[in-house]
Amino acid sequence: MIFEGLSEKLQNTLSKLKSKGKLTEKDVKEAMREVKLALLEADVNFKVVKDFIKRVSDRAVGDEVMESLTPGQHVIKIVNEELTALMGSSQSKLTFSSKPPTIYMMVGLQGSGKTTTCGKLAKHLKKQQKSPLLVACDIYRPAAIQQLKTVGGQVDVPVFSMGDGTSPVHISKAAVEHANRQGLDTVIIDTAGRLHIDELLMEELQQIKAAVKPQEILLVVDSMTGQDAVNVAEQFHEQIGIDGVILTKLDGDTRGGAALSVRAVTQKPIKFAGIGEKIDEFEPFHPDRMASRILG
Ligand code: GDP
């Protein structure tokens, strides 16, 4: 389960505060040292941890807390609020274009779960009475087009493909025209991934972005890769600009470092989480519920 180790450590540390009654500055400082170590062990970005500890400490040693009747509870409340804020405060919903079709461009490294997530997102949109079109723009990985068709079949959503002999820019433009003709109101473009970020990949993504002007560019990252996922997010954001993040494989991530860092590092919200391989295992990301999972 996500935040397994972190949750146990934070709860232990904070329950010590609770049992103390009155708190001194030293108590808070000692607790914050433990919280800091627990966050670093959970693979949270170093700078994010530093800023977080400073914010919590500044608030926790204020008179209002130290002189209250239940200062330990107060500190827990502050930690909870700051963890929630770290992950984006409130749920960040998808936006829709005022002039359909709304185009979502899905980007990410190979293996991050991008193609699967395209299917999951299509299903999610269908539940909201949208009529999506999936677009196969990964022309480099031999099985990618077929994989998207399979996923499309599972969720009963049409898949637009022109094989692997046409440029992704052309395919994406043709797909938007197709959606217009067919009266489909959302277009989900599955772009190519690579094992590592390279210039050619970024150039191609920039060209697709310029050609179809997506409403949102959604970056799919594997949460199990921890700080690597955060670095990937930073680079994609710098080079093409992203509007949101979808964190996959949360079901296999026991530490939670990416979930806790990616928002603070990129300033872009986590919009959804993948919580299993099945198409249904996908949910909107709720920062407050995530924080509650950590603090129990
Ligand atoms: P792509 O290369 O980025 O398009 O990645 P795929 O969609 O092919 O996914 C790579 C692997 O990750 C597949 O085995 C998926 O079943 C798996 N996967 C995707 N999302 C999740 C998830 O949320 N949880 C788990 N456990 N596996 C996932």
Side-chain angles (χ1 to χ4, degrees), residues 109-117 120 141 147 190 248-252 274-277 281:
L109 294 185
Q110 196 173 312
S112 59
K114 188 163 33 61
T115 304
T116 311
T117 303
K120 289 176 169 180
R141 192 162 60 92
Q147 191 189 344
D190 186 20
T248 61
K249 309 186 197 180
L250 228 58
D251 51 302
I275 50 167
E277 290 193 81
E281 290 172 320

Side-chain angles (χ1 to χ4, degrees), residues 64-98:
E64 197 198 326
V65 176
M66 309 296 272
E67 278 158 28
S68 71
L69 287 174
T70 52
Q73 289 285 15
H74 244 98
V75 175
I76 293 172
K77 186 165 166 276
I78 293 169
V79 172
N80 187 21
E81 284 170 9
E82 292 294 340
L83 283 173
T84 307
L86 201 55
M87 290 184 280
S89 293
S90 57
Q91 190 211 339
S92 175
K93 295 194 172 154
L94 281 180
T95 59
F96 295 94
S97 164
S98 54

Side-chain angles (χ1 to χ4, degrees), residues 29-271:
K29 228 177 164 173
E30 173 59 23
M32 287 308 121
R33 207 182 59 84
E34 288 176 24
V35 171
K36 183 175 174 182
L37 284 177
L39 288 169
L40 288 173
E41 267 174 51
D43 200 23
V44 181
N45 173 286
F46 181 73
K47 184 167 183 308
V48 171
V49 174
K50 233 177 98 188
D51 293 348
F52 176 84
I53 295 294
K54 181 166 185 335
R55 275 197 307 277
V56 175
S57 303
D58 285 352
R59 289 180 63 189
V61 295
D63 291 347
E64 197 198 326
V65 176
M66 309 296 272
E67 278 158 28
S68 71
L69 287 174
T70 52
Q73 289 285 15
H74 244 98
V75 175
I76 293 172
K77 186 165 166 276
I78 293 169
V79 172
N80 187 21
E81 284 170 9
E82 292 294 340
L83 283 173
T84 307
L86 201 55
M87 290 184 280
S89 293
S90 57
Q91 190 211 339
S92 175
K93 295 194 172 154
L94 281 180
T95 59
F96 295 94
S97 164
S98 54
K99 186 176 160 283
T102 297
I103 300 165
Y104 301 114
M105 181 173 159
M106 311 291 279
V107 301
L109 294 185
Q110 196 173 312
S112 59
K114 188 163 33 61
T115 304
T116 311
T117 303
C118 286
K120 289 176 169 180
L121 183 64
K123 181 151 192 199
H124 172 84
L125 289 165
K126 260 185 85 167
K127 278 196 208 145
Q128 299 188 355
Q129 317 306 323
K130 302 284 179 196
S131 46
L133 175 69
L134 286 162
V135 184
C137 275
D138 184 355
I139 59 169
Y140 308 105
R141 192 162 60 92
I145 297 174
Q146 188 48 47
Q147 191 189 344
L148 191 68
K149 285 184 180 167
T150 305
V151 165
Q154 280 171 12
V155 294
D156 197 20
V157 166
V159 177
F160 184 89
S161 132
M162 296 173 84
D164 58 9
T166 311
S167 84
V169 171
H170 184 78
I171 299 172
S172 48
K173 278 206 258 185
V176 175
E177 282 163 22
H178 178 81
N180 264 326
R181 276 197 305 274
Q182 301 284 317
L184 301 169
D185 57 19
T186 40
V187 173
I188 302 168
I189 302 178
D190 186 20
T191 64
R194 303 265 207 283
L195 287 175
H196 302 284
I197 292 176
D198 63 50
E199 238 171 76
L200 281 178
L201 169 66
M202 289 302 180
E203 255 171 44
E204 179 175 301
L205 296 177
Q206 280 158 0
Q207 285 167 5
I208 298 175
K209 177 184 177 182
V212 301
K213 303 195 174 49
Q215 173 77 10
E216 296 202 20
I217 297 180
L218 296 169
L219 173 70
V220 178
V221 288
D222 174 350
S223 69
M224 285 167 71
T225 61
Q227 284 319 292
D228 280 344
V230 178
N231 294 335
V232 164
E234 218 178 350
Q235 291 186 45
F236 269 84
H237 188 46
E238 258 172 41
Q239 295 191 35
I240 47 169
I242 60 171
D243 299 288
V245 174
I246 301 182
L247 268 185
T248 61
K249 309 186 197 180
L250 228 58
D251 51 302
D253 176 18
T254 51
R255 301 211 284 172
L260 282 165
S261 320
V262 82
R263 158 77 207 214
V265 170
T266 60
Q267 296 299 314
K268 292 292 158 183
I270 301 168
K271 297 212 168 189

